[in-house]
Amino acid sequence: LQEKPPLARGALLIDAWENFLDGSLTSPSRYLTFLLDNIARDQNQLILGQLLDQLYRVHSSFLTPGEREATQPTLEATLKSALQTVADPGRARLFLDSYSQLARTGEGLQYLHDIWNGSIELDMLSLSENDRIALAQNLAIGLPEKAAAILASQRREIDNPDNLRRFDFVADALSPENAVRDRFFASLARVEQRATENWVLEALGYLHHPTRV
């Protein structure tokens, strides 16, 4: 893939994805390997975004639990290495977002936690408030026993009032308690609770997180 110019790579990646969905290309685990082989090498930010989006979808929706467990160490190691060696902030943010969404092991989640709390600083990326909020929310799902403490700590650090309102809206969707999440979902039956559509979509994503299926 990498020997092609960017436009051709993008077109080939779209074709590969459509053939994969059609079942005529390869198995999910082999397609995941193909994606991992290319993400660290592609210098085009748009194509990297495509690769990482496909990576998340294959990992979350197409692998069996056994396949996810078998490939998880390689997936995390590949994303972590790319994040630590990337040469520009735009691609670094894409790698961080992907790692934050896909980390599952204790080691991977601890690495994310250390980035979130400032114990580890990334050379190419200065974390914004939105970055830290996203990390805290993913950590709340990955580390349910620490969810309340992580979310409370992050809430105290939010300065932007719009971010704070959004954070408070989705907080119950991040709860490790089924009853809290069920109550939040039931509240969406009220029209006024669905006033800000993108907040609702974000919360639904957390309610239906792959680790909760």
Side-chain angles (χ1 to χ4, degrees):
L1 187 63
Q2 295 306 311
E3 67 274 8
K4 305 289 185 181
L7 184 60
R9 293 205 308 277
L12 286 171
L13 189 58
I14 292 172
D15 287 344
W17 179 246
E18 291 177 348
N19 281 298
F20 169 72
L21 294 178
D22 188 47
S24 58
L25 184 64
T26 187
S27 68
S29 59
R30 290 186 65 185
Y31 196 70
L32 186 86
T33 299
F34 159 75
L35 295 171
L36 290 174
D37 286 344
N38 281 278
I39 59 171
R41 294 189 289 160
D42 207 300
Q43 301 298 308
N44 185 287
Q45 191 167 323
L46 292 176
I47 295 175
L48 176 60
Q50 280 186 285
L51 288 164
L52 293 173
D53 178 65
Q54 290 186 17
L55 182 71
Y56 179 81
R57 294 171 69 182
V58 172
H59 180 275
S60 302
S61 302
F62 292 93
L63 296 183
T64 67
E67 287 172 333
R68 274 195 292 272
E69 183 177 358
T71 58
Q72 191 67 33
T74 299
L75 182 149
E76 290 185 13
T78 301
L79 289 173
K80 182 178 179 180
S81 175
L83 178 59
Q84 293 175 332
T85 58
V86 67
D88 66 86
R91 292 169 67 238
R93 179 161 279 105
L94 289 176
F95 284 127
L96 178 61
D97 289 345
S98 183
Y99 193 91
S100 178
Q101 292 173 336
L102 291 171
R104 300 284 187 273
T105 66
E107 181 180 351
L109 290 166
Q110 183 59 52
Y111 179 67
L112 275 184
H113 192 276
D114 289 344
I115 293 174
W116 169 70
N117 70 16
S119 299
I120 292 176
E121 294 185 1
L122 300 173
D123 291 339
M124 291 306 302
L125 189 60
S126 178
L127 296 186
S128 68
E129 183 171 275
N130 285 328
D131 292 329
R132 294 191 183 279
I133 289 172
L135 283 171
Q137 290 170 331
N138 283 315
L139 284 167
I141 293 176
L143 300 171
E145 70 284 358
K146 298 181 179 179
I150 289 171
L151 294 175
S153 176
Q154 182 58 54
R155 191 183 191 281
R156 291 192 294 269
E157 299 298 320
I158 298 175
D159 294 322
N160 184 297
D162 289 333
N163 284 344
L164 184 59
R165 286 191 291 271
R166 177 174 60 87
F167 185 86
D168 287 342
F169 179 85
V170 304
D172 284 348
L174 297 162
S175 173
E177 298 181 24
N178 289 335
V180 175
R181 299 199 305 272
D182 289 346
R183 187 166 60 248
F184 171 80
F185 182 72
S187 77
L188 297 177
R190 304 196 306 271
V191 173
E192 64 273 17
Q193 184 74 343
R194 305 194 305 273
T196 308
E197 183 179 356
N198 61 325
W199 293 3
V200 175
L201 293 174
E202 181 181 355
L204 289 174
Y206 292 131
L207 288 176
H208 298 285
H209 193 272
T211 61
R212 290 174 169 166
V213 175

